[in-house]
Amino acid sequence: MKPEAKFKSWLCKKIREVGYMVQTIETTTGRGVPDLVILRPSPSGESVLWVEVKVQAGSCTLRPEQYIWHKKAWDQGVEVLTVCQHPVTKMMTIYRVKNATKLASGWKLNNVVWSHPTKSFNGHSNVWLRPN
């Protein structure tokens, strides 16, 4: 299993342990669509969170089509995050698309929402999973 697939599987398991519904999205028709959709209870009903999952060393980047999807959704008020795990340190960092920097081959994410070692992750204590 590739590192990203392994991390995504682990992340889904942890999110389900909290009691949230999570669905992996595998699409060949919509370029840039995030990897996961999470349904969380909120005072107004269900709150939807879209999540792109990455395993990358150095800066966390999105491909142009991913950036466009994230930006369009964000502009419509849809919550979209990128969860990036470093392959060596296993540090997990969560980003928003806001203030991304354009690169020659994609977009560098700069807006850190939360950062923590992956091994100590549990959804109960993580603000990023809670609805706004």
Side-chain angles (χ1 to χ4, degrees):
M1 186 182 286
K2 292 183 178 182
E4 192 170 295
K6 186 175 178 180
F7 179 52
K8 182 169 39 171
S9 175
W10 176 88
L11 187 62
C12 286
K13 179 180 178 246
K14 291 294 187 179
I15 292 167
R16 287 184 182 109
E17 286 174 3
V18 176
Y20 296 161
M21 182 177 164
V22 61
Q23 178 65 52
T24 59
I25 307 294
E26 303 297 331
T27 180
T28 56
T29 57
R31 296 184 64 186
V33 176
D35 298 312
L36 307 174
V37 63
I38 301 169
L39 298 179
R40 308 160 297 172
S42 73
S44 61
E46 292 293 325
S47 175
V48 177
L49 171 64
W50 292 85
V51 177
E52 180 65 34
V53 178
K54 301 273 187 190
V55 174
Q56 294 178 344
S59 299
C60 189
T61 60
L62 294 176
R63 294 187 320 270
E65 61 272 16
Q66 291 172 320
Y67 172 79
I68 291 167
W69 198 101
H70 283 229
K71 182 76 169 85
K72 284 182 177 179
W74 181 265
D75 290 346
Q76 295 293 320
V78 176
E79 197 172 0
V80 186
L81 298 174
T82 299
V83 179
C84 201
Q85 181 190 51
H86 191 282
V88 177
T89 66
K90 302 301 183 198
M91 190 65 139
M92 186 168 78
T93 306
I94 291 87
Y95 298 89
R96 285 198 175 98
V97 73
K98 184 179 175 185
N99 301 325
T101 305
K102 185 164 179 23
L103 305 171
S105 61
W107 291 82
K108 177 184 170 197
L109 298 174
N110 302 309
N111 192 312
V112 175
V113 174
W114 183 86
S115 188
H116 210 275
T118 302
K119 67 181 179 180
S120 62
F121 172 84
N122 78 54
H124 294 288
S125 64
N126 294 301
V127 176
W128 73 275
L129 271 176
R130 295 186 201 134
N132 291 335

